[in-house]
Amino acid sequence: MKQMLVKIGVPVLSIVLAFVLNAILITAIGGNALQAYHYLLLGAFANFTNFGETLVKVSPLIFTGLAAAFAYRCGVFNLGGEGQFLMGSTAAIWCASLIGGQQGAAGTVPADVLGIITCLAAGAIAGGIWGAIPGILKITRGLNEMIVSIMLNYIASFFMSWVYTGPLRAGNVPQTEAVAARLKLSRLFAGTRIHAGIIIALVITAVLYYFLFYTAAGFKLRAIGLNQTASRFNGLHVKTYILVAFIVSGAIAGLGGSIELQGTQYRLMDGYGGYGFDGVAIALIGQLNPVGTVIVAYLFAALRTGATMMQVGTGIPTAIINIIQALVIIFAVAGSAAVNMPKIKQYLFQSCNKKGVQ
């Protein structure tokens, strides 16, 4: 119980401190912090359309966050979520171009369910393969997975650029053709951009939570993450679990990329992506818990959605949102490190015992 309170308390306190410190910063540059936060909330929650935009923005963040959290649970650091996300999107658009079909808006033509699933599967497979590369190099050659996965991000980005400026380029414009209407994820509510991807994201979250905390394989994976040496002496196939963790992590990010392509962006172009490293931060703030990851991802998405209205209403630049996110990350990481210090852990344990918390 006490561990749960600490895990919840650290990110909550981090968010509160970030907003307080950011309010001081807004005041220092001549702004009104209360007014800024008022418009920020309006931009994210004023009406159903704004709420829908938040859900649209949260979907890719959930996938990259879950990808990072799953790998971290096995004690490995997958910093290649961005590359796996981009490879998933690239595989999905390539698959969609092969299937083809009528252009237009989603819902104007009958959906090709098999085609949609095929494109989504192509994205997940591509992400899984891209995630397997640092895993294989780690267990066979002992290479640092963080360096390898970061380098693969750049390779994936350049490969995607080659795709939309080369073989799949749409005429003279450096972008691909839009996904055919029958291959687009269906909209859940008229008048909004909310698509079926958010449902898939929540289903994946529930599956990962159940697997990690309610299955024997999930317990073994978490045990390896806590102590690889002890796990090896207890007969667990550590290298196999590490490789599987990388493959599953990459597949999750790749699926997120294909969903973002088929549900929101519809085409590859310059500036596409940018969710991978946010996913790492979201996973850490969410305490590597799938549910916590979703909650933090929603916070980040709400900040992004409300940023524009805040700027229009107060003149405060949207860059202030990046500062809030950075402060949340700093406080969350610092808080997590602090509560794991021996003296602080002992103090918390004694305090909880005195208060009767078991």
Side-chain angles (χ1 to χ4, degrees):
M1 181 64 179
K2 59 180 181 295
Q3 292 180 349
M4 181 63 68
L5 292 175
V6 171
K7 286 184 177 181
I8 295 175
V10 168
V12 170
L13 183 60
S14 301
I15 293 169
V16 172
L17 289 175
F19 274 91
V20 171
L21 192 58
N22 200 69
I24 297 173
L25 178 60
I26 292 174
T27 304
I29 62 176
N32 186 317
L34 292 178
Q35 186 183 40
Y37 289 159
H38 171 71
Y39 280 105
L40 182 66
L41 291 174
L42 283 180
F45 308 107
N47 51 56
F48 191 69
T49 300
N50 291 17
F51 174 72
E53 284 301 305
T54 302
L55 291 183
V56 170
K57 287 181 170 61
V58 77
S59 179
L61 295 175
I62 289 176
F63 281 102
T64 54
L66 291 176
F70 188 84
Y72 285 178
R73 279 290 181 177
C74 193
V76 292
F77 302 94
N78 179 16
L79 300 183
E82 177 69 9
Q84 294 145 18
F85 184 92
L86 296 180
M87 291 302 291
S89 300
T90 304
I93 193 66
W94 210 309
C95 183
S97 68
L98 293 176
I99 295 175
Q102 180 182 349
Q103 301 297 322
T108 58
V109 296
D112 181 358
V113 177
L114 181 59
I116 292 173
I117 295 175
T118 301
C119 292
L120 293 179
I125 292 172
I129 293 173
W130 210 246
I133 296 174
I136 293 173
L137 293 177
K138 179 178 178 63
I139 65 176
T140 59
R141 310 298 299 175
L143 297 183
N144 187 299
E145 72 273 18
M146 292 186 288
I147 297 176
V148 175
S149 57
I150 289 175
M151 292 173 64
L152 287 172
N153 288 339
Y154 292 99
I155 298 174
S157 179
F158 288 130
F159 178 74
M160 181 189 71
S161 298
W162 172 76
V163 168
Y164 70 72
T165 58
L168 296 185
R169 181 169 180 154
N172 296 324
V173 183
Q175 63 183 23
T176 64
E177 293 284 355
V179 174
R182 65 193 184 97
L183 298 178
K184 295 178 180 178
L185 293 178
S186 60
R187 298 285 172 84
L188 299 182
F189 302 98
T192 71
R193 297 200 303 157
I194 306 174
H195 55 78
I198 187 63
I199 296 178
I200 300 175
L202 295 179
V203 170
I204 295 295
T205 300
V207 170
L208 288 183
Y209 185 86
Y210 179 82
F211 172 80
L212 287 172
F213 300 104
Y214 291 95
T215 66
F219 175 81
K220 293 176 182 178
L221 185 142
R222 290 186 291 119
I224 292 172
L226 292 173
N227 193 318
Q228 291 187 9
T229 303
S231 299
R232 187 177 296 109
F233 276 102
N234 278 277
L236 298 183
H237 300 286
V238 174
K239 290 185 177 181
T240 300
Y241 273 92
I242 288 176
L243 180 58
V244 170
F246 270 108
I247 293 174
V248 173
S249 177
I252 294 171
L255 177 62
S258 58
I259 286 175
E260 179 68 6
L261 180 85
Q262 294 176 250
T264 306
Q265 300 291 342
Y266 300 138
R267 66 177 80 230
L268 297 181
M269 63 184 73
D270 186 39
Y272 181 88
Y275 301 103
F277 287 106
D278 284 339
V280 174
I282 288 168
L284 292 174
I285 298 170
Q287 302 293 304
L288 307 182
N289 184 295
V291 177
T293 298
V294 171
I295 295 173
V296 177
Y298 186 79
L299 169 66
F300 274 46
L303 291 174
R304 295 182 178 187
T305 305
T308 302
M309 181 170 286
M310 183 187 70
Q311 183 176 31
V312 173
T314 64
I316 296 173
T318 56
I320 207 74
I321 299 303
N322 296 328
I323 297 177
I324 294 178
Q325 293 180 355
L327 289 173
V328 172
I329 295 169
I330 291 171
F331 287 134
V333 173
S336 297
V339 297
N340 285 318
M341 295 176 65
K343 290 185 178 180
I344 295 181
K345 288 183 70 173
Q346 182 180 10
Y347 173 76
L348 291 173
F349 179 78
Q350 292 176 346
S351 299
C352 290
N353 280 345
K354 290 179 180 179
K355 294 178 181 179
V357 179
Q358 300 299 322

